[in-house]
Amino acid sequence: MTTELAMATEAPSARATDGSDFAQLSRRIADEGLLDRRAVYYTVRFTLVGLAFVGGWVALFALGDTWLQLVLAAVMAVVFAQVALLSHDLAHRQVFSSRRASEIGGRIAANLCMGMSYGWWMNKHTRHHANPNHEERDPDVAPDILVWSQRQARFATGVAKFIGRRQAYLFLPLLTLEGLNLSFNSFKALRSPTMKRPFLEGALLVAHFVAYFGFVFAALSPGKAFAFIAVHQALLGVYMGSVFAPNHKGMLMVTPDMRLDFLRRQVLTSRNVRGGVLTDVLMGGLNYQIEHHLFPSMPCPALGRAQQITMEFCAEKGIPYYEVGLLRSYREIFRHLHRTGEPIREAG
């Protein structure tokens, strides 16, 4: 795989003019109607997730003040993550063609139901899609806590340098804080000049947490309430990290001197996760990360067929296409994290 990546990135200008290969692939995708909206699918999915969300809060009061509530906390972590995945689809306009409808749905799902700012996440995620795994332009690989390349490790300071020494071992423990991190950054972003409708987003976030803490402490004694919140937030962070980390971590890191067209920039930096229906459900379609990055507005049900077309096209063009099983993707992530921390460990 490393040799193939090197060949694919050495002289991309000699392979095709910018966009021409992608235009060919796009025509094949469009000819099969894979970009068409899937109203029935999303109606069913929203209904099931919505029922699970409401049912979880009803169960909180039905169970009463018992330690069995920690099982419910784990279940609700899964439900919250599914809400987050739906907000992701809304942000990419996979559900509605209208920007306004997507924003309304996204703010309800993200801000009100999950406690994460739709506007903040949308801004960050848009920059990630434009430059995935770019060391200087992708906010998802900024070296603020972890380092994602040895180049970043050599210049790491502060928290990133301290954690970078053993970041492969600390990765999972850090994920338990990811849910809290999303909420913290959401409130922090309300003061950003790039935030659209900060008062609306802030009001929805406050409404979420007033209801969240109000329900939990109304149903449970203080000790059990704090335990419920701790289990719920920790497992939510681990679930979210487990869904998003396999997508790009450990894949090609793009440096400013690389010149890649759109097709190769998306394919070479992304990893697909092999699996069946259960994987599709648990990862919300993000296991088809290559196709999602090439066609962000493509509805989830179309990604499987799009993968077949994309794999065939990449084979024709000699573009490395990478897909592994879920467990192997995690092993690759941990190896990558350990390898990128080497310069910090060697420096003593």
Side-chain angles (χ1 to χ4, degrees):
M1 186 63 185
T2 304
T3 303
E4 291 175 323
L5 284 175
M7 292 173 63
T9 57
E10 277 175 2
S13 60
R15 290 172 166 268
T17 57
D18 246 12
S20 61
D21 286 346
F22 179 66
Q24 294 174 37
L25 175 59
S26 296
R27 283 193 290 271
R28 297 188 191 184
I29 293 292
D31 287 346
E32 295 213 15
L34 298 179
L35 297 174
D36 297 344
R37 297 291 179 270
R38 305 296 177 93
V40 173
Y41 166 82
Y42 277 110
T43 298
V44 172
R45 185 173 164 192
F46 269 87
T47 300
L48 292 176
V49 173
L51 289 173
F53 185 82
V54 174
W57 292 118
V58 172
L60 178 71
F61 288 94
L63 283 173
D65 192 25
T66 169
W67 288 107
L68 287 175
Q69 293 279 13
L70 298 187
V71 177
L72 179 62
V75 173
M76 288 298 282
V78 176
V79 174
F80 267 53
Q82 288 296 318
V83 172
L85 291 170
L86 282 175
S87 67
H88 170 270
D89 289 8
L90 285 161
H92 281 295
R93 297 172 70 176
Q94 297 175 18
V95 184
F96 305 113
S97 58
S98 163
R99 180 183 297 276
R100 179 174 175 77
S102 300
E103 288 181 349
I104 292 173
R107 288 191 176 104
I108 292 173
N111 293 60
L112 187 59
C113 293
M114 193 194 163
M116 178 185 74
S117 167
Y118 172 84
W120 163 75
W121 184 86
M122 180 73 169
N123 178 278
K124 183 173 78 77
H125 198 61
T126 299
R127 288 183 286 135
H128 158 71
H129 265 262
N131 292 282
N133 271 16
H134 193 292
E135 292 190 6
E136 296 181 357
R137 299 176 183 175
D138 183 357
D140 287 354
V141 293
D144 43 4
I145 294 180
L146 300 175
V147 292
W148 302 104
S149 72
Q150 291 193 348
R151 179 172 176 266
Q152 289 181 345
R154 294 186 186 97
F155 297 97
T157 58
V159 175
K161 183 176 182 180
F162 176 77
I163 292 179
R165 296 175 184 275
R166 297 177 179 83
Q167 60 182 17
Y169 303 100
L170 296 173
F171 184 63
L172 278 179
L174 287 171
L175 285 184
T176 62
L177 303 174
E178 182 59 20
L180 297 174
N181 180 55
L182 292 173
S183 297
F184 172 78
N185 281 307
S186 295
F187 278 105
K188 183 180 176 182
L190 295 176
R191 301 175 60 184
S192 170
T194 61
M195 173 66 74
K196 298 178 181 178
R197 302 194 177 184
F199 293 107
L200 174 60
E201 295 239 1
L204 291 173
L205 287 172
V206 170
H208 165 83
F209 283 104
V210 168
Y212 178 83
F213 290 116
F215 289 165
V216 174
F217 280 96
L220 304 174
S221 59
K224 293 185 181 71
F226 281 115
F228 181 97
I229 293 169
V231 170
H232 176 247
Q233 292 296 325
L235 293 182
L236 173 62
V238 171
Y239 186 173
M240 294 285 287
S242 299
V243 168
F244 283 92
N247 301 341
H248 304 282
K249 306 312 183 222
M251 294 300 293
L252 173 71
M253 291 292 291
V254 180
T255 56
D257 59 310
M258 290 183 182
R259 296 293 180 267
L260 297 171
D261 63 14
F262 177 80
L263 177 66
R264 289 164 178 80
R265 183 164 70 247
Q266 304 299 340
V267 174
L268 298 178
T269 59
S270 302
R271 174 198 289 109
N272 274 20
V273 175
R274 189 182 301 113
V277 176
L278 181 60
T279 304
D280 291 354
V281 172
L282 291 177
M283 298 191 70
L286 295 182
N287 44 313
Y288 301 106
Q289 189 65 197
I290 293 172
E291 290 69 34
H292 170 61
H293 260 255
L294 290 171
F295 306 99
S297 64
M298 180 180 289
C300 282
L303 290 169
R305 174 57 184 151
Q307 181 192 35
Q308 298 173 6
I309 296 172
T310 304
M311 287 181 69
E312 293 170 0
F313 186 83
C314 286
E316 293 172 14
K317 299 294 181 179
I319 303 173
Y321 182 104
Y322 199 53
E323 181 185 39
V324 297
L326 186 60
L327 293 180
R328 180 172 173 180
S329 73
Y330 294 141
R331 288 198 298 270
E332 292 180 356
I333 292 168
F334 290 125
R335 282 200 298 266
H336 173 72
L337 288 170
H338 186 70
R339 185 171 59 252
T340 54
E342 282 180 3
I344 300 176
R345 293 192 298 273
E346 290 173 355

